[in-house]
Amino acid sequence: FSNLSSTLWAIVAGFLEGVQFTTSRALAEAAMDGRGYSCFFEGKTCWGIGLLKVACILGIIHTSQLGIATDLSSFAAKYLVATSIFVCLFGAAYFGDHVDLTLTFFLSVFNTLCGIWLLSDKADM
């Protein structure tokens, strides 16, 4: 697997980070839902979410190491963008969050993509 591109590992790690964020937020909402910590000790769903969170963290560490092994500078930028995209996507899908689509937002996205393109460009030396 180590010969695959850093883009693939960045997307996989970003996806897992989004799922991990969703599990953290779901556990926090369950704890703040008036039930206190009874959810953690009695609810099988909360234990399942906790196990999913641990699996995501282990997957993030593994895929990050595979991505870093391919190309550190390219992986780092792509991983951060993928993480941001998946966190916003899952936050909107599961918790009703919204992203303001302003000119500043689009300029930031454009500049970020240009930066990734510049970091990914292989220079002949």
Side-chain angles (χ1 to χ4, degrees), residues 4-85:
L4 297 174
S5 76
S6 63
T7 304
L8 171 69
W9 297 124
I11 291 171
V12 171
F15 174 79
L16 290 172
E17 190 72 47
V19 173
Q20 188 271 139
F21 168 76
T22 304
T23 60
S24 297
R25 198 159 161 190
L27 286 173
E29 285 194 8
M32 296 297 191
D33 196 22
R35 290 180 282 171
Y37 291 102
S38 65
C39 169
F40 294 109
F41 301 113
E42 298 171 3
K44 293 178 185 174
T45 302
C46 288
W47 281 104
I49 292 172
L51 288 174
L52 179 61
K53 181 175 178 60
V54 170
C56 284
I57 291 171
L58 293 174
I60 291 165
I61 292 169
H62 182 65
T63 55
S64 295
Q65 292 299 317
L66 291 172
I68 289 169
T70 58
D71 184 9
L72 174 63
S73 64
S74 178
F75 172 79
K78 293 171 186 176
Y79 169 68
L80 293 175
V81 171
T83 298
S84 298
I85 289 170

